[in-house]
Amino acid sequence: MADHYQNNVYHQGGGDSYGSYGEGGGPDGYGYQADYPPQEEDAASDVTEGHDDEDQMYEGEYQGIPHPDEVKAAQRAARAKSREGGSAASELEELSEQYEDIMQDCGHGKFQWMLFMVLGLALMADGVECYVVAFALPSAEKDLCLSNAEKGMLGLVVFLSMMVGAFLWGGLADKTGRRRCLILALGINCIFAFLSSFAGGYGFFLFFRLLSGIGIGGTVPIVYSYFSEFLQTDKRGEHLSWLCMFWMFGGIYASFTAWGIIPRYGWGFSMGTELQFHSWRVFVIIAALPAVTSLVGLTFMPESPRFLLEHAKHDEAWMILKQVHDTNWRAKGKPEKVFTVTHIKAPKMAEDELIEIQSGTGTPVQRWAVRSLTLCKLVLRNIASLLSAELRFATLFMAIIWFCMAFSYYGLSVWFPDMIKHLQYEEYETKVKTFHRERVVDVRFDFPLKNQIHREGEYKRDTFIGIEMKSVTFKDSLFDNCTFEDIRSTNTVFENCTILSTVFYNTDLWEEKFIDCRMENTTFEHNKHGCHLDSVEENDVLIYLVSFLGSLAVLPGNIISALFVEKIGRVKIIGGSMLISAGCSFFLFLSFSQSAIIALQCMFCAVSAAAWNGIEVVTVELYPTSKRATAFGVLNALCKLAAILGSSIFASFVGITKAIPILLSFAALVCGGLVALKLPDTRQKILQ
């Protein structure tokens, strides 16, 4: 093998725009030998040692069922005949057909399933990232003293950073390699996710989550491009759809761990005098485990051979394809199967490829700057090529579909839990107790006061001690010679009250809680400090449950799309699912209870999952290898932009009207579904 491998030469002929890897080729120009011809001893696969060459009888021969190898050979012959009868195929088309033949010979087996798990964990990490800040925020806001504006910025930065990451890493993956970029992206995510759990202030937490999001933003465009290039045509749609399930697992994992780790704010431990390591910080670390696991697994995975061939790295691609072949056939109990490819054609290196700079030219910084500038130009040129004549309409249609789907999906994903909170608040308000002109003298309040309004009351020589005051309002009331001691309050205010000779000792009742009040001879002693003391509410377990059920509801949609994506077709899956989702959103007009909203959310998520699966499969198949990750990155960045707009617009109408969010969602889904029906059918399309 060593001698055979070293003697392979990359030739370029004057009239042929191909390099030839290996020594020979068949009549169709491929170096593929399906019938296992005699080979030199050093050219044989090492797995044949100890096995004879005796032919085995195929069971289906007695039933008239063609052997799988015969089917593959017939497919190759049909493609060769179509090339002879039609116009001359381009170099990339010939490479694509040869690569498809090689992947069919390698089969689908152990190697693909190992890669499936590793890349699935990366996709799971992306799903987790969408939930981390939302779940940690109710507790983190107390530790970090966050205002409403700062909380809104943290929610925004999640999608903003993922948008930048998708755009950046997608472009780089087409120029520097899928595996390399995915390792870097996951590494950045792991490092800064870990650091964010130790952030002592808002600025550091925001900065670390921003960089963490930029890292994880690259996973979706790279994972699908990477995995698709190890799949043969008849397996591609189904197995890419199964891969989509890991995003659902990410939502379930985040909801389940948050539910188990952050149910109460209080537990944790101290790290020095400044940092309290509360439960939300533990959750942030645990949430990064899928990314860490995937990162470790990727170190054992090879680069995409299709990418390597695109960049004329023939030797590396050949060795990886042989590894895939031997791994699969050993696992199937057929180690005697020999990798029979003797040469692989590949196009010439493009003129705009990265230039090599001599080590003696300039300083290391200058050489790095030149390489980086060249890389940026190549990435931007690749992005611009998505609007070329042959890709313009595909890019426009996919952009509309991605935007419409993301706008509705993420908008309603925010609207559902916000509506549930609003309904809970309305229900809470209906139970409010109102006390009017009560006169209380010499009374000791040592029981909690919750959900009460006191108007024009008169309190003299009363003691409020060691109690919790939650959602309590005092209006136009008089407090004379009273004592407030060891008070914890939430949403408690005093409006237009008169407070005379009163002592506030060890309370969290600050100036902003006294609105238009008149105070005389009133003292505040040993006030509690720290914004986290303003609220002692437990996190709402129902919100975790809603997110968990929404993620779990995706399972039926994933299964259905995986089983029928090859039978029904990607286009019908996308168009049909988006139109059915539009119908589900319209039924929200009939939702007047929490249970109805949860049920409709589960239905919407289940149907939407099938649409998402189809969209991602078609995106992979519409674009050539040199632009696949770039196109996926641009479209995924557009998806995150739509998510920002959708979540912001839909959330602004909570408690005002539900008609506008429902109609916007309905219109977007119908528009996207109708456009999807105009897409070409890519079921039998060989990856270009």
Side-chain angles (χ1 to χ4, degrees), residues 401 405 557 561 570 573-579 581 606-617 669:
I401 295 167
M405 188 66 210
S561 64
R570 292 88 157 106
I573 287 282
I574 300 171
S577 298
M578 291 187 75
L579 293 175
S581 297
V607 179
S608 298
W612 276 122
N613 291 4
I615 289 170
E616 284 152 351
V617 172
L669 289 168

Side-chain angles (χ1 to χ4, degrees), residues 92-108:
L92 288 178
E93 288 174 347
E94 290 195 27
L95 170 61
S96 301
E97 291 178 0
Q98 184 186 15
Y99 190 79
E100 173 65 20
D101 292 341
I102 294 171
M103 291 312 302
Q104 287 183 0
D105 189 49
C106 290
H108 188 94

Side-chain angles (χ1 to χ4, degrees), residues 57 72 99 150 172 181 188 199 225 254 262 271-272 297 303 311 352-353 385 388 424-425 466 476 505 507 512 618 629:
M57 182 67 70
K72 295 175 184 177
Y99 190 79
E150 290 171 337
L172 290 174
C181 285
I188 290 172
S225 302
I262 328 178
M271 298 185 66
E303 180 57 87
H311 291 76
D352 63 351
E353 287 300 330
S385 69
S388 61
Q424 287 177 326
Y425 178 74
D476 304 312
Y505 182 86
T507 72
E512 58 266 25
V618 168

Side-chain angles (χ1 to χ4, degrees), residues 45 66 92 99 108 138 157 167 169 179 185 207 212 221 277 315 339-340 350 385 449 466 515 524 584 607 636:
S45 173
L92 288 178
Y99 190 79
H108 188 94
V157 81
F167 189 84
W169 295 112
R179 176 179 176 271
F207 176 71
S212 172
F277 206 85
D315 294 353
F339 186 58
T340 58
S385 69
L449 303 178
I515 303 171
F524 293 84
C584 292
V607 179
N636 196 249

Side-chain angles (χ1 to χ4, degrees), residues 447-483:
F447 48 87
L449 303 178
K450 295 184 178 181
N451 201 21
Q452 299 177 2
I453 298 177
H454 300 263
R455 300 178 183 273
E456 300 180 15
E458 186 177 333
Y459 306 90
K460 294 188 176 182
R461 299 184 300 279
D462 296 325
T463 301
F464 300 79
I465 185 167
I467 64 172
E468 175 189 359
M469 302 173 70
K470 179 181 179 181
S471 300
V472 179
T473 301
F474 294 96
K475 292 186 176 181
D476 304 312
S477 298
L478 169 67
F479 294 87
D480 186 8
N481 201 26
C482 294
T483 300

Side-chain angles (χ1 to χ4, degrees), residues 18-19 81 159 261 313 376 378 398 446 496 535 568 629 644 673:
Y18 278 95
K81 185 175 181 181
F159 289 111
I261 295 174
K313 298 181 179 179
C376 289
L378 294 178
M398 292 308 300
D446 54 5
N496 198 31
S535 174
I568 298 177
I644 293 171

Side-chain angles (χ1 to χ4, degrees), residues 1-11 22-23 40 42:
M1 174 61 72
D3 295 336
H4 175 77
Y5 177 66
Q6 291 172 0
N7 289 331
N8 289 317
V9 181
Y10 177 58
H11 303 289
E23 298 175 351
E40 295 180 7
D42 59 353

